[in-house]
Amino acid sequence: MKFAFSTLGVPGLPLPEVLRLATAHGYHGVELRAHPEEPVHPGLGTAEREDVAARFKDAGVELLGLTGYARVAAPGDDDAVLEEIRTLLGLAHDLGAPFVRVLPGGSDAASADEADAIAARRLGTVARDAADLGVRVLVETHDSHPTGADVTRIVGQVGHRQVGALWDVMHTWLGGEQPLDSYAALSPYLGYVQVKDIVSADDTTPLTLGAGILPLGECVEVLSRHGWDGWLCWEYEKRWYEAAEPLPGLLTAGREHLGRLLNDSA
């Protein structure tokens, strides 16, 4: 497995500094938060996009994917959601990123079946765009669809290779799903895995990996036992928890913890 970290943990940090952190602390890749607050976002022009791609290549760091905020199961008109996803797909293609993250974002006012159908319809519509651009859209286990079983209801309906799933281990755990069950549901569609650690179910303040209560060892063991060799991406949610310890000082310890978990599961 390869290790990455998300720029959600270093909000607003210039890209050269992000890449320096990755190389200095032994990470193979970086997941970029594609938001106007960040240095890399959909508003970049052609020359700026070429510069970003060149910087990753020169640093020898892989661009794992872009995390966007399109909510595929949200109520309302399809056009705005489709345009948001297509904009992210175009940016990912230009930067050389293989994945784009989207959120479910279903409404409490809609039934699960209605939310699933909305999301599947929209994702089915953009699947050809994704295929043409060589980018895969991943629905994260999150908000209205926190478990692997929830997200599988969406991507299973779409039935297209360019629409898959992103396993956020915190949300599946908070949703009451065991790691083995999450993997069983998501494995046919799995793009990569977001790892993290938190204080408790009632306090999701981010901690360094291994310092909290999430079953990271069990997740890695399940992945290893089934021969999965993709990406583990540390999503440290510093952007939402300003008082959390700065990520740069934790990066080496986090990578070493993941390495120990892999060794233990071998």
Side-chain angles (χ1 to χ4, degrees), residues 43-75:
L44 294 184
T46 301
E48 294 169 305
R49 295 178 183 213
E50 292 174 351
D51 180 65
V52 170
R55 287 183 182 274
F56 271 91
K57 182 178 180 180
D58 291 345
V61 176
E62 294 185 55
L63 175 49
L64 170 57
L66 304 180
T67 57
Y69 292 89
R71 287 166 167 77
V72 295

Side-chain angles (χ1 to χ4, degrees), residues 136-161:
R136 198 167 180 218
V137 182
L138 304 181
V139 184
E140 183 178 319
T141 54
H142 198 276
D143 52 65
S144 62
H145 291 67
T147 68
D150 293 330
V151 167
T152 297
R153 293 197 315 266
I154 294 174
V155 296
Q157 285 189 54
V158 179
H160 195 289
R161 66 185 182 280

Side-chain angles (χ1 to χ4, degrees), residues 2-3 7 37 61 66 68 72 91 173 177 193 210 215 243 249:
K2 294 189 286 188
F3 303 151
T7 56
E37 296 176 346
V61 176
L66 304 180
V72 295
L91 178 61
W173 181 80
E177 194 173 64
V193 180

Side-chain angles (χ1 to χ4, degrees), residues 79-194:
D79 290 345
V81 178
L82 296 174
E83 178 60 26
E84 187 173 0
I85 298 172
R86 286 173 172 140
T87 298
L88 286 168
L89 289 170
L91 178 61
H93 170 266
D94 292 346
L95 301 183
F99 301 115
V100 160
R101 187 284 305 266
V102 297
L103 298 173
S107 168
D108 291 340
S111 70
D113 287 346
E114 290 170 331
D116 295 347
I118 291 170
R121 180 180 70 241
R122 291 167 174 168
L123 291 165
T125 301
V126 298
R128 179 172 297 227
D129 301 282
D132 290 343
L133 293 171
V135 180
R136 198 167 180 218
V137 182
L138 304 181
V139 184
E140 183 178 319
T141 54
H142 198 276
D143 52 65
S144 62
H145 291 67
T147 68
D150 293 330
V151 167
T152 297
R153 293 197 315 266
I154 294 174
V155 296
Q157 285 189 54
V158 179
H160 195 289
R161 66 185 182 280
Q162 293 305 115
V163 175
L166 195 166
W167 180 9
D168 182 314
V169 302
M170 180 184 76
H171 289 288
T172 54
W173 181 80
L174 290 174
E177 194 173 64
Q178 296 301 309
L180 181 58
D181 295 328
S182 297
Y183 179 79
L186 295 170
S187 59
Y189 314 104
L190 188 58
Y192 62 97
V193 180
Q194 283 183 343

